Amino acid sequence: MKSTSKKYDYVIVGAGLFGSVFAREAVDKGKRVLVIDKRLRTGGNCASEMRDNIDVHLYGAHIFHTDYEDVWAYVNRFTRFNNFINSPVANFKGKLYNLPFNMNTFYALWGVTTPQEAHSKLTAQRAAYAHITDPKNLEEKALTLAGSDVYETLIKGYTEKQWGRKATELPPFIISRLPFRLTFDNNYFTDRFQGIPQDGYAAFFNRLLDGIEIKLNTDFFADRKPLGQLADNLIFTGRVDEYFDFRLGALEYRSLNFVTETLALENFQGVAVVNYTDAETPYTRVIEHKHFRADAKSAQTVVTKEYPAEFVSGAEPYYVINDSKNNALYAEYKKLADAEKGVLFGGRLAEYRYYDMDDVILSALQEAKKIR
Ligand code: FAD
Ligand code: UDP
């Protein structure tokens, strides 16, 4: 890339993980970078805020986990991680089950105490669905994987609340991410590396973006033309359909409402995350933030209920919906994106992809490698 008379080499829309990692790499390669974000803080959905020595995850529980050694080494340049292991509990109509699906779960469900007993029980449960050889939707996938007891108790209610759709209308891959094992192991993730930034996500982003020019409270679409003229290269991490003025139609998203309160209690639920898997409880998860960090001593506790919500105009597009209809529409937007000169579309919203944090970092690092 040639240096021009323009003030910056890159304008980066979005100070989330993709934008921030790309910005760090570009600046470290001597490029002039401006990062903008419409929010009032950096971090995108990973943002957190320290309250009374408790790091409050502002947009839902964010547990860093990865199997990529290089990504793990990269993030450790900007923070130390604690040894948090996500071991959520499911609450179904008042009864508790360990997640992900493991021997503790099967013991609570069926009273089985050995892997052999659990295996027999699962085989019998799955037998009813043996005719489904190629699961076409999430319900079929869950039933062939685990049978009806696990599905009805731990999956159906949660999934249908979360996505606002019948499990028969959702793609199977959504639950492919959930481990299923015949050991007494409550670790939700299977990756080798896992943890929470010891001094919080805000401190992590401050270090990642150290020395980089940032303009918050700045919506790209409010000043699109002048912002676009500041540099020859734009990195865009917002909504791809919005970038193209919805000219092919609007993509669908799922939103959330977070209701956070401080309780005059030392310990509310004894674990960081409790999933409410029945259909009647209106929220999907309750997060008790202090449990992300064993050193978060406080006489109080901060608790967030996560309510799934319809995505309406003005709401936050937290989750993309990778069903066939939306994937097909995105494929058309992708053609426009690929043809857009001088613009890189990266991250969860711009690539319309259910990305975990480590995959977003990997993708930003790979894109940044192309900077000359
Ligand atoms: P974002 O974080 O969404 O950042 C995009 C940024 O762009 C935002 O700050 C936004 O304000 C800004 N922006 C958008 N449009 C504009 C505009 N027009 N003008 C200016 N700025 C704009 N991943 C994990 O690995 N572990 C977890 O435990 C985990 N938990 C999650 C829980 C929830 C509830 C959610 C929703 C996601 C979770 N994730 C988790 C995924 C993780 O949040 C994402 O992988 C990551 O944040 C994506 O980074 P990003 O930069 O692509 O997008
Ligand atoms: N899921 C479920 N029951 C649970 C937890 C998850 O059925 O107790 C399903 C649900 O469909 C969810 C998917 O598994 O959308 C992925 O769960 P994960 O915890 O990975 O979701 P995320 O943290 O990305 O929201």
Side-chain angles (χ1 to χ4, degrees), residues 14 17-18 37-38 44-45 61-63 219-220 347-348 355 357:
L17 262 184
F18 191 96
D37 202 296
K38 61 184 176 183
N45 287 339
H62 274 78
I63 299 132
D219 190 333
F220 175 70
R348 200 176 46 99
Y355 262 133
M357 294 158 74

Side-chain angles (χ1 to χ4, degrees), residues 154-179:
L154 299 169
I155 298 176
K156 187 177 189 326
Y158 185 100
T159 294
E160 295 190 341
K161 280 192 291 195
Q162 166 77 356
W163 297 100
R165 286 163 168 71
K166 295 262 163 252
T168 48
E169 293 160 13
L170 287 163
F173 87 89
I174 293 178
I175 55 156
S176 305
R177 16 189 306 130
L178 296 183

Side-chain angles (χ1 to χ4, degrees), residues 51-109:
R51 291 185 203 162
D52 192 26
N53 199 34
I54 299 170
D55 195 40
V56 177
H57 296 202
L58 297 169
Y59 303 99
H62 274 78
I63 299 132
F64 188 85
H65 58 97
T66 190
D67 227 20
Y68 309 126
E69 265 172 58
D70 43 355
V71 171
W72 183 239
Y74 187 79
V75 291
N76 275 275
R77 277 173 49 194
F78 307 101
T79 183
R80 292 181 65 170
F81 284 83
N82 67 12
N83 60 356
F84 179 82
I85 297 286
N86 191 28
S87 311
V89 168
N91 182 321
F92 180 74
K93 302 184 190 247
K95 185 161 180 197
L96 302 183
Y97 301 86
N98 289 109
L99 292 172
F101 313 124
N102 73 79
M103 282 303 296
N104 292 305
T105 326
F106 306 135
Y107 173 64
L109 261 177

Side-chain angles (χ1 to χ4, degrees), residues 235-351:
I235 307 297
F236 184 77
T237 75
R239 289 173 58 185
V240 63
D241 52 350
E242 193 174 9
Y243 181 92
F244 290 107
D245 298 318
F246 307 103
R247 75 175 79 147
L248 304 174
L251 287 161
E252 292 177 307
Y253 302 85
R254 190 74 178 145
S255 196
L256 298 168
N257 288 319
F258 297 104
V259 178
T260 299
E261 50 188 335
T262 301
L263 305 176
L265 261 181
E266 220 180 301
N267 186 359
F268 172 68
Q269 62 184 19
V271 66
V273 182
V274 177
N275 290 2
Y276 285 78
T277 56
D278 60 87
E280 294 75 24
T281 308
Y283 40 88
T284 46
R285 296 192 262 218
V286 177
I287 301 162
E288 188 172 9
H289 303 265
K290 70 178 352 179
H291 296 304
F292 288 124
R293 293 167 62 229
D295 59 337
K297 303 278 179 255
S298 167
Q300 320 188 77
T301 194
V302 181
V303 167
T304 300
K305 291 192 173 106
E306 192 173 311
Y307 292 82
E310 253 339 283
F311 175 72
V312 289
S313 173
E316 281 289 343
Y318 286 108
Y319 289 97
V320 301
I321 300 180
N322 288 120
D323 59 12
S324 45
K325 178 178 125 197
N326 285 290
N327 283 344
L329 179 55
Y330 170 66
E332 295 305 308
Y333 275 116
K334 171 94 170 65
K335 289 182 198 160
L336 295 180
D338 288 344
E340 190 78 350
K341 292 252 175 335
V343 185
L344 170 70
F345 293 80
R348 200 176 46 99
L349 296 172
E351 294 179 76

